[in-house]
C-alpha cells in the first residue's frame, strides 16, 4: 500500500511538470499561426468593401499590433476615403460631323442683282453685261430712230419731253440696252426723231436779265450765288437775276463785256475786244446789299488768282501755247469731261490735233455758238453741225477765238500738264462713253462701234 501512495505522488509531480510545458508549447504554436496570418496579409493588399479600384497599402514589416492580434480572426482593413469636391461635368455640344472628302461647301449660283437680297448701304453687284445697240443678240432700237451723242446735262427725261411724250424713259432704256438711267458725256444713244432737238435744257438756263433792264434794284442780301464749273457768262447773269442783289444780270455782263480792263495781269493776255469769259472762277460767293457788279466781278477774278498760280500760267508755254490759249482749250475740256484722268487724255489728244494742223472736232464749241436765251447749250445734231461760226471746230482748224465757259482748276491743270500720248479719241463711245485708241484702225473701229 505504501508503494502505491508513493507511485501516486510521483505521477502527480510528473503531471505538475508537464502542464507548464504544454502551456508553453501551445503559446509557441499560437505565435507561429499569428505570424503566418500577418505575413499572408502583407502579401495581398486589402480593399474596402465598396472599392472599385485598387487602394495602395504601405509595404514593410508587420507592426506590433498585427503581431499581437488574435489569431482566430483575419484583420480586415476598412478604408475611409477623405471627402473631396465632386466635379460636375457640363455637357459640351458635339461639333457637327465633318463633311466627307468628296463633299464641297455649297456655292451660290449667282450674285444678287438690282438690290435684291442685300442690306441697305451695301454695294449691289450686277452680273449683266452692257449690251450695245445693234449688235447680234442685243436689243435694237426701233426703225427710224436716230443716233445721238450724249452731251453734258442731258437726261433721258428731257428726251422723253423732246419726243412729245410718245415714249417713256423705260422705252429709251430698253431700246438702248442701258443698265443705268444716268448718262455719260460722249455716250451713243438712239432716239426718236426730234427727241434731242426739241428736248428742254436739263439745267435751268436764264437769260441775261429778265427784260434787259440795268440799274440798282432793292437788295435783300446777304445773297449766295453758286457758279458751277462749265457755266458761260450768260448763265452767271441768270443766277444774278434769280437772286436779290443790288445789281442785275445785265449789269454784270456789262462789267465783264468786250474790251473791259481790269487790274489783274492775266486778263491782259486776251485779244482786244474780247470779254472776260473763262476768268470768272466757279465757286460759291456771298454778296452783300452794297455789292456792285464790278465788285462781284473782282471777287471772281480774285478767286481765279488764288486758285491758278503764276507757275501754272507760266508752265503753259511748255505746250507751245500762251496761257490764254490753254484757258480756251481747258474750257472745251471742262465740258467734254468732269473726270480729271479723262480730262488729261482729252487735252493731250487736242494738243496733238493742234500740232498736226487738224481740227479739234469737238461739239462743245459748236453748242456755244448755237446758244440762245433759254437754252445756252443746245444739242448738236446733224442738222446744225455746219453752222457758220468761228467756234465751229468741225469746219475750222485751230482753237476757238475765246474760252467758252469758266473751267475749274482741275480742267486747267489737266490741260497745262497734259501728258504726251499718241491716242485717238472718239466721244461717241457706242454707249460706253469716251473711247480711246492707240492706232487709227482701232479708232475707226470705235467709231463703227466694233
Amino acid at each position: 500500500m505504501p508503494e502505491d501512495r508513493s507511485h501516486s505522488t510521483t505521477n502527480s509531480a510528473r503531471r505538475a511538470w508537464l502542464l507548464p510545458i504544454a502551456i508553453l508549447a501551445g503559446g509557441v504554436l499560437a505565435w507561429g499561426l499569428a505570424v503566418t496570418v500577418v505575413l499572408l496579409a502583407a502579401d495581398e493588399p486589402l480593399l474596402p468593401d465598396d472599392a472599385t479600384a485598387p487602394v495602395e497599402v504601405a509595404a514593410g514589416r508587420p507592426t506590433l499590433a498585427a503581431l499581437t492580434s488574435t489569431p482566430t480572426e483575419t484583420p480586415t482593413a476598412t478604408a475611409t476615403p477623405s471627402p473631396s469636391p465632386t466635379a460636375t461635368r457640363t455637357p459640351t455640344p458635339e461639333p457637327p460631323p465633318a463633311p466627307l472628302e468628296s463633299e464641297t461647301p455649297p456655292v451660290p449660283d449667282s450674285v444678287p442683282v438690282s438690290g435684291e437680297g442685300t442690306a441697305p448701304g451695301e454695294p449691289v453687284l450686277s452680273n449683266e453685261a452692257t449690251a450695245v445697240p445693234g449688235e447680234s443678240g442685243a436689243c435694237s432700237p426701233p426703225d427710224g430712230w436716230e443716233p445721238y451723242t450724249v452731251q453734258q446735262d442731258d437726261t433721258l427725261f428731257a428726251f422723253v419731253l423732246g419726243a412729245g411724250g410718245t415714249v417713256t424713259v423705260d422705252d429709251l432704256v430698253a431700246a438702248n440696252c442701258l443698265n443705268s438711267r444716268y448718262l455719260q458725256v460722249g455716250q451713243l444713244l438712239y432716239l426718236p426723231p426730234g427727241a434731242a432737238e426739241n428736248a428742254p435744257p436739263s439745267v435751268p438756263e436764264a437769260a441775261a436779265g429778265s427784260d434787259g433792264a440795268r440799274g440798282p434794284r432793292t437788295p435783300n442780301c446777304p445773297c449766295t450765288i453758286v457758279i458751277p464749273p462749265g457755266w458761260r457768262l450768260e448763265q452767271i447773269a441768270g443766277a444774278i437775276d434769280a437772286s436779290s442783289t443790288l445789281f442785275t444780270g445785265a449789269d454784270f455782263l456789262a462789267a465783264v463785256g468786250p474790251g473791259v480792263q481790269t487790274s489783274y495781269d492775266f486778263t491782259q493776255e486776251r485779244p482786244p475786244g474780247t470779254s472776260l469769259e473763262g476768268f470768272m472762277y466757279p465757286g460759291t460767293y456771298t454778296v452783300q446789299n452794297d455789292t456792285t457788279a464790278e465788285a462781284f466781278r473782282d471777287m471772281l477774278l480774285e478767286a481765279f488768282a488764288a486758285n491758278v498760280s503764276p507757275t501754272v500760267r507760266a508752265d503753259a508755254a511748255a505746250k507751245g501755247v500762251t496761257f490764254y490759249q490753254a484757258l480756251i482749250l481747258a474750257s472745251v475740256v471742262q465740258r467734254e469731261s468732269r473726270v480729271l484722268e479723262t480730262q488729261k487724255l482729252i487735252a493731250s489728244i487736242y494738243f496733238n490735233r493742234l500740232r498736226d494742223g487738224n481740227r479739234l472736232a469737238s461739239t462743245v464749241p459748236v453748242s456755244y455758238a448755237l446758244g440762245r436765251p433759254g437754252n445756252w447749250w443746245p444739242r448738236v445734231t446733224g442738222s446744225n453741225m455746219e453752222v457758220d461760226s468761228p467756234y465751229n471746230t468741225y469746219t475750222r482748224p485751230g482753237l476757238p477765238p475765246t474760252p467758252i465757259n469758266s473751267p475749274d482748276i482741275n480742267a486747267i491743270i489737266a490741260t497745262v500738264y497734259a501728258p504726251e500720248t499718241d491716242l485717238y479719241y472718239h466721244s461717241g463711245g457706242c454707249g460706253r462713253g469716251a473711247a480711246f485708241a492707240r492706232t487709227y484702225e482701232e479708232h475707226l473701229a470705235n467709231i463703227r462701234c466694233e
Side-chain angles (χ1 to χ4, degrees), residues 270-323:
R270 72 190 201 277
T274 57
S275 71
L276 292 177
E277 185 80 87
F279 294 102
M280 299 291 97
Y281 196 77
T284 300
Y285 299 91
T286 301
V287 176
Q288 304 300 330
N289 281 337
D290 58 350
T291 303
T292 64
E294 290 75 16
F296 180 65
R297 173 201 67 195
D298 291 345
M299 289 171 60
L300 275 58
L301 289 174
E302 184 64 30
F304 188 97
N307 285 275
V308 186
S309 68
T311 301
V312 173
R313 301 199 297 267
D315 287 347
K319 294 294 184 182
V321 296
T322 66
F323 174 69

Side-chain angles (χ1 to χ4, degrees), residues 25-298:
V28 172
L29 179 61
W31 179 84
L33 290 174
V35 170
T36 301
V37 170
V38 171
L39 291 178
L40 290 176
D43 289 339
E44 295 182 5
L46 300 178
L47 300 178
D49 293 340
D50 58 347
T52 57
V55 178
E56 291 186 0
V57 178
R61 296 185 63 82
T63 63
L64 179 62
L67 293 175
T68 57
S69 61
T70 305
T72 57
E73 294 183 3
T74 302
T76 303
T78 303
T80 304
S82 302
S84 59
T86 302
T88 304
R89 183 180 180 185
T90 303
T92 303
E94 296 184 1
L100 300 179
E101 293 184 1
S102 59
E103 294 179 355
T104 56
V107 179
D109 293 332
S110 61
V111 180
V113 297
S114 303
E116 209 171 310
T118 57
E122 291 185 358
V124 179
L125 304 179
S126 174
N127 54 13
E128 293 185 31
T130 301
V132 178
E135 286 189 354
S136 176
C139 54
S140 58
D143 292 338
W145 285 29
E146 301 171 346
Y148 171 75
T149 300
V150 173
Q151 301 176 38
Q152 189 161 327
D153 301 326
D154 281 344
T155 65
L156 293 175
F157 183 69
F159 295 142
V160 170
L161 297 178
T166 58
V167 293
T168 66
V169 171
D170 290 336
D171 293 336
L172 297 179
V173 169
N176 290 277
C177 306
L178 301 179
N179 291 329
S180 171
R181 299 191 177 199
Y182 293 99
L183 303 178
Q184 298 180 9
V185 174
Q187 186 175 1
L188 181 66
L189 298 179
Y190 285 85
L191 303 174
E197 292 87 340
N198 300 321
S202 302
V203 177
E205 311 281 356
S210 57
D211 56 1
R214 296 177 61 179
R217 300 184 291 182
T218 301
N220 186 21
C221 292
C223 303
T224 300
I225 298 178
V226 179
I227 304 175
W231 265 20
R232 57 193 289 170
L233 293 177
E234 293 87 352
Q235 290 177 282
I236 301 175
I240 294 170
D241 280 334
S243 65
S244 300
T245 57
L246 175 68
F247 58 97
T248 65
D251 295 329
F252 170 76
L253 291 177
V256 299
V260 169
Q261 299 298 315
T262 75
S263 60
Y264 294 89
D265 58 348
F266 50 81
T267 65
Q268 310 304 321
E269 293 186 20
R270 72 190 201 277
T274 57
S275 71
L276 292 177
E277 185 80 87
F279 294 102
M280 299 291 97
Y281 196 77
T284 300
Y285 299 91
T286 301
V287 176
Q288 304 300 330
N289 281 337
D290 58 350
T291 303
T292 64
E294 290 75 16
F296 180 65
R297 173 201 67 195
D298 291 345

